[in-house]
Amino acid sequence: MGAGKKRSGLIQGTLELLILRTLHLGPLHGHGISTHIQQTSEHVLQVDHGSLYPALHRLERNGYITSRWEPTPRGREMRLYRLTAKGRRQLGVEESKWRVLVAAMARILKPT
Amino acid sequence: MTRDPDDEIEREILTHLELETEERIAEGMTAEEAHYAARRAFGNVTRVREHVRSVWRNVWLDDIRQDVRYALRMLSRNPGFACVAVLTLAIGIGANTAIFSVINAVLLRPLPFPNADRLVTIIENRPPTEPFDGRPARRAPLADEIRALGTQTTTLADVELYGAAPELRLPGREEEAGLPGARASGPLLTMLGARPVIGRLFATDEQDSVIVLSHEAWQRDFGADPNVVGRTVVIDGGNIPALRTRETYTVVGVVAPGFHFPNEQVRYWMARGGAANIARLKEGVSLQAAASEVGTLLHRIAGKPVLPAGSSPPRFEVVTVKDRLVAPVRPALRVLAVAVGLVLLIACANVANLLLSRAGVRQREMAIRGAVGAGRGRLVRQTLTESTILAAIGGAAGLLIALGALHLLRTLFASLAQPSGGIVRQIGIEISSGAAGTFPRMEEIGLDTTALVFLTFQVRRPPSRSTATELVALSEDLVSALSTAPGVQAAAYAAELPMLQLRMGFGFKTTPGEQLPEREPGPGGATAYYPDVRVVSRDYFGALGIRLIAGRGFRDSDSALAAPVLVVNRELARLRFGGQNPIGAQLYGPGARPWEIVGIVDDVRQQAADRPAEPQVFMEYRQWPVPAFQLSQYYVVRATGDPRALLPAVRGALRSREPEATIEHVATMDELTSVSLARPRVYAVLLGLFAGIAVTLAAIGIYGVMAYTVSQSTREIGIRVALGAERGQVLRLIIGQGMVLTAVGIAIGLAGALAMTRYLQGMLFGVTPLDAPTFVAVAVLFALVAALASYVPARRATAVDPLVALRCE
């Protein structure tokens, strides 16, 4: 977890939010999720792989996502993660929490 | 997840890495560069794996199970270390526990009564200015005074009397000892927590002739009869022959198991009487308040003048029962407690040493673990687990040792539990310990004990109105008949004085007006002014083989009407008269007439060979001056061969003279001597055991640490040998290093021991500060142990092929 924190300064829990959002767009494997976050954030956010997998498994344990080994077009079998209905609801919750946080930060940082 | 998670995670990570690698290859790296770059980007694979795993598993259990498995493996790989550590812990814990249990049971046993802290007893101290009134200087107030006090006091509740009761004899078991009894009123029994399981206890002011049985007596002697209430027993009036009555008593109840008062030997209780007292402090009342109130009241009740202010001890004292019990043993208890602490300290130090040595060696292992990904907390947890397992095994082994040792100690001290425990001994009413107190032990006399045996017994006569003189005449007759019986070498009798303190309470003055030095309160040793008084028959010295060294023994002419004479022992003569001949001197003691010293006998040595004999005076039975205290007789017969073979002859002699009398309390001298075990000896044995354990532990510890340290030098030894050193040289070097350390340690230890014995000298009697043989022996022992501990592994190390030694960790 430490290295990830240093690199992208992610607050605890935001990684999970990003994962849920990414999976909202469609099922993906771990490596793909990490790549997607990286690219979509234009390389601002670098996901520490050491944190990624534990986060994925945590989300799975909580029932927000499920996983399945599926063959990919490449021929390799990869573990694909999918959002569940519960996960979709949680995504909404996390998103609104995030918006509240951002608004609060903005008020403090508002130029006087 | 029901699939094997480890496998899954492994696969997942692997595929991830593959993808990363492919990406980089696509970017233009070589396969190898890409491979490493991907891995580096990923981070610590193991840690990730662990992390993921930990999300799913119950972390704790898994880790702990792993820790335990590893710890056990580590221990089994280092059997020497494990053995020493476990053994140290086991012995330290086990032996200590056993001995402490003994101390606790024997010496510390708290009074098994509710509100035991509030129980007190009242003592009267007779000042030396008052004339002797037949009672000892430190005693209980009279029964009537106590009863009066009970009605008037406001600070004490349940002021009750208690005392000894005659033995209850079951029909058909005359020759055995009867059941000891005690007197205790109903309120007293209730206050002490007795509850009836059958029937009832005594009513307040119980008037009927009733008794209550102890639970043990009910089970053992009355066959656990559910209808025991209403059964009658016959109890003789006991030791005072002229007052002996034969009365019928009815059983009215049985108390719950576990209740004993005043000691564990008492088997039944009578409702009335007694000369000792016990009371309870009322709630919120302090001891001082009670003492001053009691003092004021008793002075008035007893009509005794108040002593001048500041005189000590005060005339009337109120002391807690617990203090009375513990006070004499408190210094010894302190020493024993320190001993317990020290032994445990040694055990802990040993184990700590061992673990420290191991820790130093494991630095590399710990570093590797840290590099692989274990956090600091995890490492600490690992080592803690190892220590805990060690402690658990050691503790379990210690428990086993404790049980075994307790069993051993119990048989060793089987007799100990009886005489020393109860209140009775301490407060002054003695449940008769029988002939054990009357006769000296054979080795004390210094006789050749192989050829001679002694038989002792008492005679129980039916209650009669015989006077003391008549009874003595009967005894004389019996004894002279016995001495002519076949197989008998001599016969005699002596008195068992009914009160321990009464015996010690007689002062012997040189002149009638002499002021004797204050007698020390409590049962203590005899002194020149308060010697041990023995009342014996004429042939006592001859029968027991005690040597007369001057003057004469007792004669026929020393009758009740003749001038009272004393025979003293050598120690009394020495203490009282210095180098002068005491024969012919007169002493003023009990009774109206002065006692003339007519003979000196040799000392009977006391228990410890290095203690001086007690000063003793002997009186002829017929001249016993205090008719109020009638004496019982213990007969002793000296014989060759099996003493019990004489019993028929004894019975015959008795029956022809007194057809209604029976023999009781038959015992051979051997049986008697095994019953009494002097308390100082107990302390000595206990301390000796502690010392032995401490030495053993220290030796084990020293051996363990040294051997371990040396075995760690195997590499160094290998290098030296490889470089060409001779085995002998290396050995000398290693052992030399070890011995320097040992020498320093021994020096410090000896200095400490010297300081400690100086401190002990103040606490215990007869301890010499510099017991050279012990100091030398211990120093030599530890030096040898250390030398051996250095030598054995060093030798093994030099014998190993240097290449192997160099390689090993």
Side-chain angles (χ1 to χ4, degrees):
Chain A
M1 247 326 159
K5 275 219 190 93
K6 278 198 216 103
R7 267 196 270 163
S8 59
L10 275 176
I11 308 170
Q12 187 88 358
T14 42
L15 177 59
E16 272 142 25
L17 170 57
L18 293 173
I19 294 174
L20 287 175
R21 186 72 180 117
T22 307
L23 289 179
H24 185 68
L25 303 172
L28 207 52
H29 50 77
H31 183 257
I33 294 173
S34 147
T35 311
H36 178 265
I37 292 176
Q38 226 162 282
Q39 289 177 342
T40 315
S41 70
E42 294 175 23
H43 293 276
V44 172
L45 299 176
Q46 313 257 358
V47 178
D48 168 32
H49 302 131
S51 326
L52 175 67
Y53 284 99
L56 280 170
H57 285 258
R58 239 193 324 270
L59 286 170
E60 184 167 3
R61 191 185 62 184
N62 291 336
Y64 300 138
I65 61 181
T66 57
S67 68
R68 211 167 54 184
W69 286 90
E70 284 172 26
T72 54
R74 301 262 196 96
R76 190 181 285 129
E77 263 214 343
M78 300 220 57
R79 194 179 192 156
L80 283 185
Y81 293 91
R82 271 187 184 74
L83 208 56
T84 61
K86 189 170 172 191
R88 209 159 293 139
R89 282 198 293 279
Q90 185 66 11
L91 174 58
V93 169
E94 292 290 327
E95 272 184 340
S96 53
K97 280 201 324 211
W98 175 255
R99 274 194 276 274
V100 168
L101 180 62
V102 167
M105 292 282 295
R107 279 199 293 279
I108 295 171
L109 297 172
K110 196 167 58 178
T112 41
Chain B
M1 289 204 285
T2 49
R3 307 157 285 195
D4 182 7
D6 289 346
D7 245 10
E8 302 260 332
I9 298 165
E10 196 73 42
R11 254 172 95 193
E12 194 170 359
I13 293 176
L14 269 173
T15 46
H16 184 117
L17 287 171
E18 279 173 17
L19 282 177
E20 283 272 342
T21 313
E22 282 172 13
E23 270 181 15
R24 289 181 206 242
I25 291 178
E27 285 168 12
M29 289 189 184
T30 65
E32 214 182 314
E33 285 173 359
H35 180 82
Y36 282 116
R39 276 204 147 61
R40 249 177 287 137
F42 190 80
N44 189 329
V45 174
T46 316
R47 200 191 287 170
V48 172
R49 206 167 51 220
E50 293 277 324
H51 217 134
V52 173
R53 235 189 259 146
S54 75
V55 172
W56 287 101
R57 295 274 181 91
N58 185 346
V59 190
W60 273 70
L61 218 55
D62 207 28
D63 281 345
I64 287 179
R65 198 160 9 129
Q66 201 179 41
D67 284 344
V68 167
R69 234 185 5 220
Y70 190 81
L72 287 174
R73 199 165 4 130
M74 191 269 297
L75 286 178
S76 63
R77 283 235 204 91
N78 293 282
F81 161 80
C83 266
V84 172
V86 166
L87 205 62
T88 307
L89 283 174
I91 293 180
I93 294 175
N96 245 19
T97 308
I99 295 181
F100 191 78
S101 308
V102 170
I103 296 176
N104 195 34
V106 171
L107 298 173
L108 269 182
R109 181 168 36 194
L111 300 172
F113 311 121
N115 55 44
D117 292 332
R118 313 286 298 169
L119 294 178
V120 297
T121 181
I122 302 162
I123 301 174
E124 180 179 353
N125 296 301
R126 175 177 65 82
T129 48
E130 274 186 14
F132 179 70
D133 57 1
R135 299 154 67 207
R138 189 167 164 86
R139 65 236 180 149
L142 294 172
D144 287 331
E145 293 168 2
I146 293 291
R147 273 192 275 263
L149 177 71
T151 57
Q152 295 177 30
T153 179
T154 55
T155 54
L156 298 177
D158 299 323
V159 180
E160 301 287 341
L161 294 165
Y162 71 95
E167 287 181 340
L168 192 162
R169 213 162 288 284
L170 295 160
R173 290 169 56 173
E174 275 83 21
E175 282 183 18
E176 298 173 33
L179 302 182
R183 299 172 189 275
S185 65
L188 177 57
L189 289 176
T190 315
M191 168 179 64
L192 293 175
R195 301 274 167 265
V197 293
I198 296 181
R200 63 174 181 86
L201 296 180
F202 303 129
T204 322
D205 291 337
E206 180 82 49
Q207 291 301 320
D208 300 326
S209 296
V210 292
I211 65 169
V212 168
L213 296 176
S214 77
H215 198 84
E216 289 72 26
W218 175 65
Q219 281 183 324
R220 260 190 252 161
D221 306 298
F222 286 79
D225 178 7
N227 300 314
V228 70
V229 172
R231 270 172 75 161
T232 57
V233 296
V234 171
I235 298 181
D236 277 352
N239 284 339
I240 302 179
L243 298 179
R244 198 169 265 169
T245 52
R246 188 165 271 176
E247 284 186 9
T248 310
Y249 286 77
T250 316
V251 177
V252 292
V254 177
V255 302
F259 179 76
H260 302 105
F261 176 76
N263 60 39
E264 285 190 352
Q265 283 72 52
V266 167
R267 294 269 185 261
Y268 80 92
W269 292 274
M270 273 189 187
R272 292 189 301 279
N277 64 74
I278 195 170
R280 185 167 57 86
L281 277 178
K282 281 195 181 159
E283 279 307 308
V285 173
S286 74
L287 197 59
Q288 292 87 331
S292 71
E293 194 221 18
V294 165
T296 317
L297 285 174
L298 273 176
H299 270 109
R300 200 172 50 223
I301 295 171
K304 292 286 195 316
V306 178
L307 296 174
S311 54
S312 118
R315 178 164 211 124
F316 294 105
E317 279 181 69
V318 177
V319 299
T320 56
V321 169
K322 189 185 282 186
D323 272 342
R324 205 88 202 278
L325 255 181
V326 176
V329 304
R330 201 167 276 152
L333 278 183
R334 246 178 256 148
V335 172
L336 285 172
V338 170
V340 169
L342 282 177
V343 171
L344 279 176
L345 200 63
I346 293 179
C348 292
N350 277 0
V351 178
N353 262 340
L354 282 171
L355 288 173
L356 275 174
S357 318
R358 279 243 359 126
V361 168
R362 292 176 70 186
Q363 276 176 357
R364 245 188 109 180
E365 173 200 335
M366 291 300 164
I368 293 175
R369 281 170 173 259
V372 169
R376 190 174 291 170
R378 187 84 174 72
L379 288 175
V380 169
R381 204 171 52 210
Q382 169 74 36
T383 41
L384 268 179
T385 312
E386 288 165 12
S387 310
T388 310
I389 292 200
L390 210 54
I393 300 179
L399 209 61
L400 287 175
I401 290 188
L403 289 172
L406 256 178
H407 184 77
L408 259 167
L409 283 174
R410 204 172 284 146
T411 46
L412 181 63
F413 290 122
S415 58
L416 185 62
Q418 286 156 7
S420 56
I423 300 178
V424 160
R425 245 311 129 106
Q426 302 297 326
I427 293 189
I429 292 231
E430 187 183 34
I431 302 277
S432 161
S433 62
T438 314
F439 298 114
R441 303 207 321 278
M442 292 203 294
E443 50 266 34
E444 293 169 343
I445 303 173
L447 286 176
D448 171 19
T449 58
T450 50
L452 302 170
V453 283
F454 293 97
L455 182 73
T456 66
F457 60 91
Q458 270 189 300
V459 169
R460 182 162 142 244
R461 302 182 167 91
S464 66
R465 292 291 153 211
S466 321
T467 62
T469 341
E470 287 165 6
L471 286 170
V472 168
L474 283 172
S475 307
E476 292 284 326
D477 196 22
L478 179 63
V479 158
S480 53
L482 282 175
S483 46
T484 54
V488 174
Q489 294 208 333
Y493 60 93
E496 199 270 317
L497 295 171
M499 282 191 181
L500 180 69
Q501 286 193 336
L502 180 62
R503 183 193 337 158
M504 294 303 197
F506 287 127
F508 283 83
K509 305 178 187 176
T510 318
T511 60
E514 181 180 17
Q515 196 87 295
L516 284 179
E518 188 53 45
R519 179 95 177 88
E520 268 188 17
T527 66
Y529 289 97
Y530 296 94
D532 186 13
V533 177
R534 303 267 165 163
V535 185
V536 299
S537 71
R538 248 166 302 146
D539 312 310
Y540 181 80
F541 300 122
L544 283 171
I546 300 177
R547 203 162 59 93
L548 187 71
I549 53 182
R552 64 168 179 87
F554 295 118
R555 292 197 291 242
D556 278 352
S557 55
D558 296 319
S559 66
L561 299 171
V565 294
L566 285 181
V567 173
V568 302
N569 74 347
R570 193 207 296 259
E571 181 67 10
L572 181 87
R574 183 183 72 86
L575 282 178
R576 195 72 185 249
F577 296 92
Q580 294 171 322
N581 188 359
I583 296 186
Q586 296 206 325
L587 289 179
Y588 292 83
R593 296 182 293 169
W595 299 79
E596 181 184 343
I597 299 179
V598 294
I600 309 177
V601 291
D602 205 355
D603 290 334
V604 160
R605 273 181 301 115
Q606 299 307 309
Q607 291 93 0
D610 53 340
R611 275 223 226 165
E614 290 204 324
Q616 285 181 317
V617 300
F618 296 87
M619 292 179 188
E620 223 274 6
Y621 212 92
R622 294 170 291 166
Q623 298 189 326
W624 172 245
V626 190
F629 293 96
Q630 298 237 1
L631 308 170
S632 60
Q633 296 106 5
Y634 274 88
Y635 295 84
V636 61
V637 171
R638 192 171 89 179
T640 48
D642 179 17
R644 290 203 177 251
L646 293 178
L647 274 176
V650 172
R651 274 195 217 109
L654 185 62
R655 204 168 299 130
S656 61
R657 278 164 187 71
E658 302 173 65
E660 287 176 52
T662 52
I663 305 180
E664 62 184 26
H665 288 157
V666 176
T668 61
M669 209 59 125
D670 281 340
E671 291 161 9
L672 291 178
T673 59
S674 68
V675 162
S676 66
L677 203 61
R679 187 172 281 167
R681 194 180 284 172
V682 172
Y683 293 160
V685 172
L686 283 177
L687 275 178
L689 280 176
F690 271 126
I693 294 171
V695 166
T696 308
L697 281 180
I700 293 178
I702 292 174
Y703 189 96
V705 173
M706 294 229 67
Y708 195 75
T709 322
V710 169
S711 68
Q712 297 311 309
S713 315
T714 310
R715 212 160 161 227
E716 177 192 336
I717 295 174
I719 292 177
R720 287 178 183 270
V721 171
L723 288 178
E726 273 194 21
R727 275 180 51 182
Q729 268 182 310
V730 178
L731 277 175
R732 267 198 299 277
L733 177 67
I734 299 285
I735 296 181
Q737 282 174 346
M739 294 316 289
V740 166
L741 218 55
T742 310
V744 172
I746 289 180
I748 297 178
L750 286 176
L754 242 137
M756 184 72 74
T757 45
R758 223 167 273 285
Y759 168 69
L760 274 181
Q761 205 185 5
M763 310 223 82
L764 292 180
F765 167 84
V767 173
T768 44
L770 196 61
D771 185 6
T774 310
F775 278 50
V776 168
V778 171
V780 166
L781 172 69
F782 285 141
L784 279 176
V785 167
L788 196 68
S790 311
Y791 176 74
V792 169
R795 190 160 180 283
R796 210 180 315 145
T798 58
V800 161
D801 181 0
L803 285 177
V804 174
L806 282 169
R807 230 182 296 146
C808 108
E809 301 290 323

